[in-house]
C-alpha cells in the first residue's frame, strides 16, 4: 500500500507558478560601481609606480588653485598636488577602513552571534560589555591606546576596530535573535547538531547580508574617523595624506576654498556609494527569497 | 495506567514560561500520556492550548519545567546535554510552517544530507562514505515524492508549501527515527495538498515503522490519521480515547464542542450553531480555578470551580477529566464499546 | 435602490434590482520576468442581491486576483485587467481611484485572510473603525464612537467600550478577524468579499466567524462572495458555488446541485481530498496528484488534464468550453463529465490502461 500511495505523488519537476528561477542579471549601476572600485584600488596599490607628483612636495603653483593641466585636481593650501594626495591617501584610508571594520566584524560579529543565539546569561554579559564599550568616550579610548602602545597606523586601526565592535555586535545580535527563533534552527538542534555548527552553518549565512551592508557604511565612518584622529595628531602624522585628514584640514578652509574638503569627500562618497551598489548587486544576485507561498 | 512497555511515556509534564514581573504562562500543566510503539497519537485543541509546547517538551526543546519523558525507558529530562544529544536521531519533529522550518540559504541536498554527515561517523552506520550518503538522500527524497535529480540542488524558495513540507519530512526521516512528532504539519496547506501529505505520512509510517505524535487543531484530519486522540484545553489534558470512540461518544464537554465546530462538506447539513463554543480562551497566565474549561462549559456547576477534575476511565481506553462527563462510567461499558467497535 | 449612474459621461440604464454584480469576460494579467501571467482568464458570473457565492479552488487558482479585479484593487504597476464589471449600476472598469474610493467601504467591502496584516498595528481599533465612519458617512467623532461600540458588540466582541482602546496585537486572532469584519460592515456595504476569512484561524474560531458572517449577512441582506480552498467551509453556507482552476471558472452551480450532481472531475477531486470526521481512522484520502498549472504557460487543452483521472487524448489538445448542464444555473467545462456515460467510459479506459492518476485507486489498494 505504501508503494501505491507514493507512486501517485508528484515529482518536483512539475512547473510551478511561484519560485521558478528568474534569469539574473547585473545592472549597469553595478558595473559602474565595480569599475570605480577597481580603479581606486588599482591606483592605491600602484601609486608609487604611477607618474604622479609626490603628495608631500610643495609646488610652485598658487596654493588653493583650481584644477589645471598640471594639477588635474588643483593644489591645496600649501601648494601640494591634490590628485596625488588623494591617490596616496587612498592607501592609508582604505587600509584603515577595511581592516578596522574587519576586526569589528570578527569580534563584534562573533559576540553578537553568540549573544543572540544563546540568550539568557550569556546575552546579558555580552550585551552589558557592549554597552560599556559604546558608552566609553571614543577619544579617551584613542588617547589611552596611543599612550600605552604608541602612535602608529597599526594602533589607529586597533582603535577604530575596537570602536566598531559594539555597533556591529548589536546589529548581528538583533538579526541573530530573529533567525534563532526560526524553526529550521530548532530542527537543527533536534538533529543533534552542535551549537558551533548551527551558528556558522545555519544562522550566519542568514545574518551575513544585512551585516555586510551595514559594514560597508561602517568602512566610510572609519575612514572619516581616521581623519579626525589625524587632525588631532593621533593618527598618521601630516604631511602624509589620508582622505580623512584631507577632509579634516580642508574643512578649516571651507569658507575660502570649499574644494579642498569637497574633493576628497566626494571621492570618499563615491567610493562608499560604489561599495553599496556593488554590495546590493551581489546580494540580489545571490539572494534567496523565502518561499513565495 | 502507565504500561512500561510504552515507547514514549510522558508523566506529569509541566511547562511554564516566565513572562516578567514574577508571572508565568502555564503552557502545559501536569499532562501524562503514553504512546505505544507503532501507534499514532493525535493531539487536538484550540491554538494556544499548549499542543506545540507539549510536543517540543518531549524532544526537550526547551526542557520542561518538571515531569518526565520516558523514551524506551530512559528519562530524557534527567539526561545531560551530551547524553541527550545521542538520543536525538531517534526522536524527530516536523513543524507547521514549511517556510520557516527550512534554511532559505541551503540546498535541499544539504538540508537533508547534513544530519547524515554529522551522525554517520558517530553511529557507525552504513552510510559512512560520501557516495552512500548521497544515495541515502536520494532514496529518502524519492520516498517523500520528490525527484532527487531535480530537487537536490535547489533551495527551499523554489518549492511550493506542500513540497517544502515533503523536504521537512525527508530531513526528519533520513536518520530513521523511531518517533516522529508532527506539529500541525498540514495546517498551512490547501486541502488538496493536505491530503497528499497525510497519505505520505501514513506511507512513511508503514515504510519506516514509525510511531507518530500528530498535533493539529483540525479534528477531521486528526481522526483520519490517529489511533488514539488526546484533547487538550488550556494546558490540561481533557480526554484521551481511541479515535473511533472519541468521535462517536465524546465524554468531555469540550470534545463535544470541538466536534460541533467541524465544517461538513455536505450542503444537506445546515451548520447548526448549537453546541458551539462561545467566548474566548481564558488567559493561561491566570487560568480559571478548578476545571479550566468551566468558564465556557455548558455543564459547569459549582463543584467545577472548587475542585479540579482528575483524569479517570469512563470506558475501555477512554479517559476523561470532568466531573459531569457526557459518558458516565458504567460497569458494562467495556463490553459495550467493544461491541460497538466490532459493528 | 438601484440608480442610474453617470460615469465618465456614459449614462447607464436602470438594471433590475436583483442583479447586484455582473462580471463579463474578466481577464487579469501580470507582467512577470518570465512573461505574461494570466491569473484570471475570461471569467463571467452574476450575483443577485442578498445571495452568497462561494469561490473555491486550490492555492494559485486565481481566487484572490478575481476578487481584487472585481474590486479594482490591483497593483498599479504590472497588472492589466480587461472585461466588464457592473456593480450596483456602476461600470467598475475604468473608474478613477477617486470614484472607486466612494464605492469601497460604503457599497463594497472586503475581509482579508490575515487579520493581523489588514489592521494597522499602530492604531487603536476604535480609531480604525471610526475613521471610515467619519470619512464615508460624515459622522461626528462622538456619533462614530457610539456606532463603533454598536458594531463591535454586533460582531460578538465582549466589553466593546474597553476594546476600542486596544491595539490589534492585544487581541487574539479570532477577535482580530471580528474587528476586520466590523470595519468592513461599518458603512453597510451591499456586497462583502471575504477572502479566506478563516484560513488563519482554528476550527472553533472558524465556526464562530462563519456563523457571524452568515448572521450579519441575513440581518443586513447584503450579498457575499466567500473565497476559500475548502469545500467543507462553503457547503452549508452558500447559495451558489463557483469552482476555479487555473484562472478559469470550471464549474458553477447552486450549492445543492453542485454536491449532488457535480460534473467536473476537479470538483470531485477537491471534495474527495477532504478528510471526513465520520470516516473511520486511516481511511486513505483521495489526494489530487501534482500541482496546479503554471499560469505563464498553461498546458494546452484542458488545464486539469495532467492531474485528471478521466483525461483522454482529446483533453490534452482541445479546451472544453464552459457549457450549460440540464439543471438550471449549472455550468461546467469538461469533455468527459463525472456521472455521464462518457465520463464512466473514460475512467474505465484509464483504469484498463493503468494510468496512475485514478483517485479511487488509493482507496481500493
Ligand atoms: N501582483 C502579482 N504579480 C504577479 N503575479 C501575481 C500577482 N498576484 C498574484 N499573482 C499570480 O496570480 C495567480 C493567482 O493568484 P491568487 O492569489 O489569486 O491565487 P488564490 O487562488 O487566491 O490562491 P491562495 O489560496 O493561495 O490565496 C498566482 O499564480 C499568483 O502567483
Ligand atoms: N516562548 C514562549 N514564551 C512565553 N509564552 C509562550 C512561549 N511559547 C508559547 N507560549 C504560550 O504558551 C501557550 C501554549 O502555546 P503553544 O504550545 O504554542 O500552543 P498551541 O501549539 O496549542 O497553539 C500559549 O499561551 C502561548 O502564548
Ligand atoms: S468539570 Fe465541570 S466545567 Fe469542567 S468540563 Fe466537566 S462539567 Fe464542564
Ligand atoms: S476529463 Fe478531460 S476535459 Fe474533463 S476535466 Fe478531465 S482533462 Fe479536463
Ligand atoms: Mg502550535
Ligand atoms: Mg488567495
Amino acid at each position: 500500500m505504501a508503494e501505491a500511495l507514493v507512486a501517485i505523488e508528484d515529482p518536483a519537476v512539475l512547473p510551478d507558478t511561484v519560485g521558478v528561477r528568474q534569469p539574473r542579471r547585473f545592472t549597469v549601476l553595478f558595473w559602474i560601481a565595480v569599475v570605480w572600485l577597481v580603479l581606486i584600488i588599482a591606483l592605491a596599490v600602484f601609486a608609487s609606480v604611477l607618474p604622479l607628483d609626490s603628495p608631500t612636495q610643495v609646488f610652485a603653483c598658487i596654493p588653493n588653485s583650481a584644477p589645471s593641466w598640471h594639477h588635474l585636481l588643483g593644489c591645496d593650501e600649501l601648494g601640494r598636488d591634490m590628485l596625488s594626495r588623494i591617490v596616496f591617501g587612498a592607501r592609508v584610508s582604505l587600509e584603515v577602513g577595511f581592516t578596522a571594520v574587519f576586526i569589528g566584524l570578527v569580534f563584534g560579529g562573533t559576540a553578537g552571534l553568540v549573544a543572540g543565539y544563546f540568550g539568557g546569561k550569556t546575552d546579558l554579559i555580552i550585551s552589558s560589555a557592549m554597552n560599556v564599550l559604546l558608552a566609553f568616550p571614543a577619544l579617551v579610548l584613542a588617547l589611552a591606546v596611543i599612550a600605552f602602545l604608541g602612535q602608529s597606523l597599526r594602533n589607529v586601526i586597533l582603535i577604530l576596530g575596537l570602536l566598531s565592535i559594539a555597533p556591529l555586535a548589536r546589529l548581528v545580535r538583533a538579526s541573530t535573535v530573529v533567525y534563532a527563533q526560526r524553526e529550521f534552527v530548532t530542527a537543527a538542534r533536534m538533529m543533534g547538531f552542535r551549537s558551533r555548527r548551527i551558528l556558522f552553518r545555519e544562522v550566519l549565512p542568514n545574518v551575513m547580508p544585512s551585516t555586510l551592508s551595514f559594514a560597508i557604511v561602517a568602512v566610510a565612518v572609519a575612514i572619516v574617523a581616521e581623519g579626525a584622529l589625524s587632525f588631532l595628531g593621533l593618527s598618521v602624522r601630516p604631511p602624509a595624506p589620508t582622505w580623512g585628514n584631507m577632509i579634516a584640514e580642508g574643512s578649516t578652509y571651507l569658507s575660502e576654498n570649499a574644494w579642498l574638503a569637497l574633493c576628497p569627500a566626494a571621492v570618499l562618497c563615491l567610493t562608499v556609494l560604489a561599495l553599496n551598489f556593488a554590495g546590493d548587486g551581489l546580494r540580489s544576485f545571490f539572494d534567496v527569497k523565502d518561499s513565495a507561498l | 495506567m502507565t504500561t512500561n512497555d510504552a515507547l514514549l511515556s510522558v508523566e506529569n509534564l509541566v511547562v511554564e514560561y516566565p513572562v516578567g514581573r514574577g508571572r508565568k504562562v502555564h503552557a502545559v500543566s501536569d499532562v501524562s500520556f503514553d504512546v505505544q510503539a507503532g501507534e499514532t497519537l493525535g493531539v487536538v485543541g484550540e491554538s494556544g492550548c499548549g499542543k506545540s509546547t507539549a510536543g517540543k517538551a518531549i524532544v526537550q526543546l526547551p526542557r520542561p519545567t518538571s515531569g518526565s519523558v520516558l523514551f524506551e525507558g530512559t528519562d530524557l529530562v534527567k539526561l545531560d546535554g551530551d547524553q541527550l544529544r545521542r538520543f536525538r536521531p531517534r526522536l524527530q519533529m516536523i513543524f507547521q510552517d514549511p517556510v520557516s522550518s527550512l534554511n532559505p540559504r541551503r540546498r535541499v541536498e544539504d538540508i537533508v544530507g547534513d544530519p547524515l554527515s554529522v551522525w554517520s561517523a558517530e553511529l557507525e552506520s552504513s552510510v559512512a562514505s560520501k557516495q552512500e550518503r548521497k544515495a541515502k538522500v536520494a532514496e529518502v527524497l524519492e520516498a517523500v515524492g520528490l525527484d532527487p535529480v531535480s530537487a537536490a540542488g535547489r533551495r527551499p524558495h523554489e518549492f511550493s508549501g506542500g513540497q517544502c513540507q515533503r523536504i521537512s519530512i525527508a530531513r526528519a526521516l533520513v536518520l530513521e527515527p523511531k518517533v516522529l512528532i508532527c506539529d500541525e504539519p498540514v495546517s498551512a496547506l490547501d486541502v488538496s495538498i493536505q491530503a497528499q501529505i497525510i497519505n505520505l505520512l501514513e506511507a512513511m509510517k508503514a515504510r519506516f515503522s514509525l510511531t507518530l505524535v500528530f498535533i493539529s487543531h483540525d479534528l477531521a484530519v486528526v481522526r483520519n490519521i490517529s489511533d488514539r486522540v488526546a484533547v487538550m484545553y488550556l494546558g490540561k489534558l481533557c480526554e484521551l480515547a481511541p479515535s473511533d470512540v472519541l468521535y462517536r461518544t465524546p465524554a468531555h464537554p469540550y470534545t463535544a464542542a470541538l466536534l460541533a465546530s467541524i465544517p461538513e462538506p455536505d450542503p444537506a447539513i445546515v451548520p447548526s450553531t448549537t453546541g458551539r463554543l462561545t467566548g474566548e480562551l481564558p488567559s493561561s497566565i491566570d487560568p480559571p480555578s478548578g476545571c479550566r474549561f468551566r468558564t465556557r462549559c455548558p455543564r459547569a456547576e459549582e463543584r467545577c470551580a472548587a475542585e479540579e477534575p482528575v483524569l479517570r476511565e469512563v470506558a475501555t481506553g477512554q479517559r476523561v477529566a470532568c466531573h459531569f462527563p457526557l459518558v458516565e462510567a458504567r460497569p458494562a461499558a467495556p463490553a459495550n464499546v467493544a461491541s460497538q467497535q466490532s459493528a | 435602490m438601484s440608480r442610474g449612474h453617470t460615469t465618465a459621461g456614459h449614462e447607464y440604464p436602470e438594471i433590475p434590482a436583483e442583479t447586484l454584480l455582473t462580471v463579463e469576460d474578466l481577464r487579469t494579467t501580470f507582467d512577470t520576468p518570465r512573461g505574461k501571467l494570466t491569473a484570471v482568464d475570461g471569467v463571467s458570473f452574476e450575483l443577485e442581491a442578498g445571495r452568497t457565492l462561494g469561490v473555491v479552488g486550490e492555492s494559485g487558482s486565481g481566487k484572490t486576483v478575481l476578487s481584487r479585479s472585481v474590486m479594482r484593487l490591483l497593483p498599479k504597476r504590472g497588472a492589466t485587467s480587461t472585461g466588464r464589471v457592473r456593480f450596483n449600476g456602476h461600470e467598475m472598469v475604468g473608474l478613477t481611484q477617486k470614484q472607486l474610493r466612494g464605492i469601497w467601504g460604503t457599497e463594497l467591502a472586503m475581509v482579508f485572510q490575515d487579520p493581523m496584516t489588514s489592521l494597522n498595528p499602530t492604531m487603536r481599533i476604535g480609531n480604525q473603525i471610526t475613521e471610515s465612519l467619519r470619512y464615508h458617512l460624515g459622522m461626528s467623532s462622538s456619533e462614530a464612537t457610539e456606532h463603533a461600540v454598536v458594531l463591535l458588540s454586533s460582531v460578538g466582541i465582549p466589553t466593546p467600550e474597553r476594546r476600542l482602546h486596544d491595539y490589534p496585537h492585544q487581541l487574539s486572532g479570532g477577535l482580530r478577524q471580528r474587528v476586520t469584519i466590523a470595519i468592513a460592515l461599518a458603512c453597510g456595504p451591499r456586497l462583502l468579499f471575504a477572502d479566506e476569512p478563516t484560513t488563519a484561524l482554528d476550527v472553533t474560531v472558524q465556526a464562530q466567524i462563519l456563523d457571524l458572517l452568515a448572521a450579519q449577512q441575513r440581518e443586513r441582506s447584503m450579498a457575499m462572495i466567500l473565497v476559500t480552498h475548502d469545500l467543507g467551509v462553503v457547503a452549508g453556507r452558500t447559495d451558489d458555488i463557483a469552482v476555479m482552476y487555473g484562472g478559469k471558472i470550471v464549474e458553477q452551480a447552486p450549492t445543492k446541485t453542485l454536491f449532488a450532481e457535480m460534473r467536473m472531475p476537479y470538483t470531485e477531486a477537491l471534495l474527495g481530498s477532504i478528510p471526513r470526521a465520520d470516516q473511520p481512522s486511516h481511511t486513505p484520502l483521495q489526494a489530487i496528484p501534482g500541482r496546479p498549472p503554471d499560469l505563464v504557460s498553461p498546458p494546452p487543452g484542458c488545464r486539469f488534464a495532467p492531474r485528471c483521472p478521466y483525461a483522454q487524448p482529446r483533453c490534452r489538445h482541445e479546451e472544453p468550453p464552459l457549457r450549460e448542464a440540464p439543471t438550471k444555473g449549472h455550468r461546467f467545462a469538461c469533455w468527459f463529465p463525472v456521472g455521464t456515460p462518457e465520463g464512466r467510459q473514460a475512467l474505465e479506459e484509464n483504469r484498463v490502461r493503468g494510468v496512475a492518476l485514478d483517485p479511487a485507486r488509493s482507496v481500493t489498494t
Side-chain angles (χ1 to χ4, degrees):
Chain A
M1 181 181 114
E3 305 315 310
L5 285 170
V6 175
I8 60 162
E9 303 299 346
D10 61 333
V13 286
L14 269 186
D16 194 356
T17 48
V18 292
V20 174
R21 263 194 198 134
Q22 294 177 3
R24 288 176 163 173
R25 258 174 269 116
F26 287 120
T27 58
V28 180
L29 215 52
F30 171 82
W31 288 117
I32 296 177
V34 169
V35 168
W36 173 264
L37 289 176
V38 169
L39 182 78
I40 291 284
I41 291 169
L43 283 176
V45 170
F46 299 111
S48 38
V49 296
L50 290 174
L52 284 170
D53 299 317
S54 154
T56 49
Q57 185 187 345
V58 176
F59 287 92
C61 72
I62 313 141
N64 276 334
S65 66
S68 65
W69 257 121
H70 283 277
H71 304 284
L72 286 178
L73 293 177
C75 293
D76 71 1
E77 75 282 1
L78 298 176
R80 295 173 298 197
D81 181 54
M82 287 284 281
L83 176 64
S84 123
R85 284 181 67 75
I86 282 178
V87 169
F88 279 91
R91 286 186 143 178
V92 180
S93 291
L94 293 181
E95 188 185 338
V96 169
F98 281 101
T99 323
V101 170
F102 181 76
I103 292 173
L105 270 181
V106 170
F107 292 98
T110 312
L113 268 181
V114 169
Y117 178 72
F118 290 102
K121 281 215 182 69
T122 321
D123 186 17
L124 196 71
I125 294 169
I126 294 180
S127 293
S128 315
M130 291 305 141
N131 284 338
V132 170
L133 208 56
L134 270 183
F136 204 81
L139 206 55
V140 178
L141 180 82
L143 286 169
V145 170
I146 284 166
F148 281 105
L149 302 177
Q151 184 175 11
S152 71
L153 189 61
R154 207 191 66 208
N155 291 342
V156 169
I157 291 174
L158 185 69
I159 293 166
L160 294 175
L162 274 175
L163 287 175
S164 63
I165 286 177
L168 282 164
R170 281 195 152 188
L171 180 92
V172 171
R173 180 188 165 276
S175 44
T176 304
V177 167
V178 172
Y179 281 101
Q181 284 164 357
R182 296 277 294 263
E183 271 151 1
F184 65 80
V185 172
T186 316
R189 290 171 66 190
M190 218 154 37
M191 296 293 163
F193 292 178
R194 292 180 195 282
S195 301
R196 190 156 37 109
R197 186 188 174 102
I198 297 177
L199 271 180
F200 289 102
R201 290 274 191 93
E202 308 285 340
V203 180
L204 186 63
N206 286 293
V207 168
M208 216 55 191
S210 62
T211 310
L212 283 186
S213 43
F214 181 77
I216 283 172
V217 179
V219 168
V221 174
I223 290 176
V224 174
E226 186 278 331
L229 290 180
S230 163
F231 190 66
L232 296 172
L234 297 176
S235 175
V236 190
R237 285 233 170 79
T242 73
W243 290 354
N245 69 23
M246 289 175 71
I247 296 173
E249 281 170 21
S251 53
T252 56
Y253 297 93
L254 266 185
S255 50
E256 296 117 79
N257 186 3
W259 175 251
L260 286 186
L262 288 187
C263 187
V267 174
L268 171 62
C269 196
L270 283 177
T271 307
V272 171
L273 267 183
L275 279 169
N276 272 320
F277 282 130
D280 281 351
L282 283 179
R283 196 168 65 232
S284 60
F285 188 75
F286 291 110
D287 195 23
V288 291
K289 292 177 284 302
D290 285 343
S291 177
L293 295 175
Chain B
M1 188 72 348
T2 321
T3 36
N4 283 332
D5 56 331
L7 179 65
L8 187 69
S9 163
V10 173
E11 283 164 19
N12 308 102
L13 190 73
V14 177
V15 185
E16 289 164 355
Y17 296 107
V19 284
R21 277 186 280 150
R23 295 177 313 163
K24 51 197 176 198
V25 172
H26 301 265
V28 174
S29 306
D30 197 13
V31 165
S32 307
F33 56 82
D34 288 341
V35 190
Q36 306 295 329
E39 85 168 334
T40 301
L41 176 76
V43 181
V44 286
E46 282 170 279
S47 83
C49 74
K51 309 180 297 288
S52 307
T53 308
K56 287 184 183 152
I58 292 176
V59 296
Q60 310 292 307
L61 287 173
R63 287 183 180 256
T65 312
S66 68
S68 58
V69 177
L70 297 171
F71 173 70
E72 291 180 325
T74 313
D75 189 355
L76 301 181
V77 179
K78 296 215 177 75
L79 300 182
D80 69 25
D82 224 46
Q83 291 168 322
L84 180 63
R85 194 178 159 265
R86 245 164 284 139
F87 275 87
R88 292 260 177 244
R90 281 181 271 168
L91 274 163
Q92 286 301 317
M93 187 157 174
I94 49 182
F95 301 95
Q96 168 169 5
D97 183 353
V99 181
S100 167
S101 49
L102 300 175
N103 189 340
R105 296 197 172 260
R106 317 228 38 214
R107 289 172 205 290
V108 170
E109 57 191 345
D110 300 326
I111 291 173
V112 179
D114 270 4
L116 281 181
S117 48
V118 166
W119 284 103
S120 58
E122 281 177 68
L123 294 181
E124 294 161 11
S125 61
S126 59
V127 285
S129 80
K130 213 170 175 177
Q131 222 55 42
E132 284 163 330
R133 283 208 296 271
K134 232 180 147 154
K136 176 79 188 172
V137 169
E139 181 198 324
V140 177
L141 284 177
E142 186 100 57
V144 299
L146 292 170
D147 173 25
V149 180
S150 69
R154 296 161 84 192
R155 280 188 242 262
H157 72 93
E158 297 177 55
F159 294 89
S160 69
Q163 290 177 326
C164 284
Q165 211 54 296
R166 287 167 195 265
I167 299 169
S168 296
I169 294 173
R171 171 179 59 188
L173 292 182
V174 78
L175 290 174
E176 303 189 352
K178 291 221 155 126
V179 176
L180 185 62
I181 295 167
C182 312
D183 186 5
E184 311 233 15
V186 296
S187 302
L189 307 174
D190 262 19
V191 268
S192 57
I193 310 298
Q194 174 177 304
Q196 293 177 0
I197 298 296
I198 292 173
N199 285 348
L200 172 68
L201 281 171
E202 291 272 27
M204 294 299 103
K205 187 186 162 195
R207 177 163 170 174
F208 293 94
S209 325
L210 291 170
T211 301
L212 295 185
V213 176
F214 189 96
I215 299 171
S216 177
H217 66 251
D218 188 331
L219 286 100
V221 168
V222 167
R223 163 154 211 193
N224 185 280
I225 201 165
S226 314
D227 301 305
R228 286 193 306 143
V229 176
V231 182
M232 281 184 75
Y233 183 78
L234 214 59
K236 286 270 180 191
L237 200 58
C238 304
E239 183 164 3
L240 183 61
S243 43
D244 291 336
V245 175
L246 186 109
Y247 284 76
R248 203 177 318 118
T249 52
H252 198 283
Y254 179 61
T255 314
L258 277 181
L259 290 175
S261 307
I262 305 178
E264 279 295 331
D266 184 348
I269 302 174
V270 179
S272 76
T273 48
T274 54
R276 286 285 164 73
L277 268 190
T278 51
E280 290 279 304
L281 200 65
S283 151
S284 46
I285 294 178
D286 186 18
S289 66
C291 174
R292 290 191 179 179
F293 187 51
R294 72 178 162 83
T295 55
R296 300 165 84 190
C297 179
R299 295 167 77 91
E301 291 182 24
E302 257 162 54
R303 183 179 169 200
C304 306
E307 192 187 331
E308 189 179 327
V310 291
L311 212 59
R312 63 195 166 102
E313 185 148 21
V314 289
T316 311
Q318 183 170 28
R319 292 192 292 151
V320 61
C322 175
H323 295 307
F324 312 104
L326 300 165
V327 175
E328 260 316 325
R330 293 156 301 196
N336 209 347
V337 169
S339 66
Q340 268 179 346
Q341 264 175 323
S342 61
Chain C
M1 223 225 81
S2 68
R3 299 153 285 184
H5 253 268
T6 326
T7 316
H10 300 287
E11 179 76 31
Y12 285 108
E14 293 269 330
I15 52 164
E18 300 89 55
T19 311
L20 181 67
L21 177 71
T22 313
V23 174
E24 272 171 47
D25 199 26
L26 189 65
R27 198 173 302 270
T28 303
T29 59
F30 295 101
D31 291 323
T32 71
R34 296 189 306 124
K36 198 149 101 185
L37 184 153
T38 311
V40 172
D41 197 354
V43 166
S44 308
F45 66 90
E46 279 185 13
L47 180 65
E48 287 166 12
R51 288 177 69 91
T52 310
L53 172 71
V55 177
V56 186
E58 280 168 279
S59 186
S61 56
K63 310 181 298 289
T64 301
V65 176
L66 173 65
S67 21
R68 287 177 175 257
S69 308
V70 171
M71 293 200 71
R72 313 312 291 167
L73 266 174
L74 292 165
K76 288 197 193 64
R77 245 180 294 155
T80 336
S81 183
T82 58
R84 282 164 70 82
V85 178
R86 299 246 264 129
F87 168 68
N88 201 16
H90 315 280
E91 175 60 55
M92 301 277 290
V93 179
L95 287 195
T96 62
Q97 288 289 311
K98 197 168 162 216
Q99 288 167 316
L100 284 169
R101 269 200 296 277
I103 298 176
W104 291 334
T106 56
E107 295 173 59
L108 194 57
M110 190 152 185
V111 176
F112 298 92
Q113 171 167 347
D114 186 350
M116 198 61 209
T117 52
S118 55
L119 289 173
N120 182 344
T122 61
M123 217 167 137
R124 295 181 198 279
I125 61 169
N127 292 344
Q128 300 195 41
I129 302 173
T130 53
E131 192 185 37
S132 139
L133 290 171
R134 295 170 65 182
Y135 174 79
H136 288 297
L137 304 184
M139 286 189 182
S140 73
S141 173
S142 59
E143 269 176 331
T145 308
E146 232 167 80
H147 195 76
V149 171
V150 174
L151 272 169
L152 285 183
S153 61
S154 76
V155 295
I157 293 183
T159 61
E161 295 87 358
R162 269 209 349 245
R163 288 296 184 190
L164 285 178
H165 305 289
D166 281 352
Y167 288 98
H169 71 89
Q170 292 170 293
L171 308 180
S172 69
L175 281 183
R176 261 183 239 139
Q177 197 59 294
R178 286 175 194 266
V179 171
T180 61
I181 292 172
I183 292 175
L185 297 178
C187 302
R190 304 211 54 201
L191 172 61
L192 179 71
F193 272 97
D195 187 1
E196 312 231 14
T198 59
T199 303
L201 308 172
D202 61 32
V203 237
T204 52
V205 187
Q206 162 168 301
Q208 292 174 3
I209 296 291
L210 292 173
D211 289 346
L212 168 68
L213 282 172
Q216 289 294 319
Q217 188 200 3
R218 261 195 315 274
E219 220 163 89
R220 297 160 183 266
S221 64
M222 98 193 143
M224 181 159 79
I225 295 186
L226 184 58
V227 176
T228 174
H229 66 242
D230 189 348
L231 264 174
V233 165
V234 287
R237 305 175 184 275
T238 51
D239 300 308
D240 296 273
I241 292 178
V243 180
M244 280 192 82
Y245 188 74
K248 291 176 183 267
I249 290 185
V250 291
E251 182 159 20
Q252 185 181 5
T255 304
K256 290 218 166 76
T257 313
L258 187 90
F259 280 88
E261 27 187 292
M262 54 183 64
R263 289 278 177 260
M264 182 62 195
Y266 179 60
T267 314
E268 187 187 45
L270 264 187
L271 188 63
S273 63
I274 304 175
R276 308 276 296 253
D278 50 13
Q279 287 168 341
S281 299
H282 304 296
T283 307
L285 297 171
Q286 305 174 14
I288 311 177
R291 294 199 268 161
D294 177 4
L295 296 178
V296 172
S297 51
C302 175
R303 294 185 175 182
F304 189 51
R307 307 167 75 190
C308 179
Y310 294 76
Q312 297 297 312
R314 179 182 186 187
C315 308
R316 283 181 238 284
H317 52 84
E318 210 177 328
E319 187 167 350
L322 196 61
R323 55 182 159 132
E324 299 290 329
T327 316
K328 187 176 165 290
H330 186 180
R331 312 182 285 163
F332 64 92
C334 176
W335 295 125
F336 304 95
V338 179
T340 61
E342 307 93 78
R344 272 190 288 275
Q345 197 188 343
L347 197 58
E348 192 49 40
E349 268 170 39
N350 284 347
R351 189 168 295 165
V352 170
R353 269 190 270 134
V355 175
L357 288 175
D358 181 356
R361 218 187 69 169
S362 53
V363 180
T364 52
T365 44

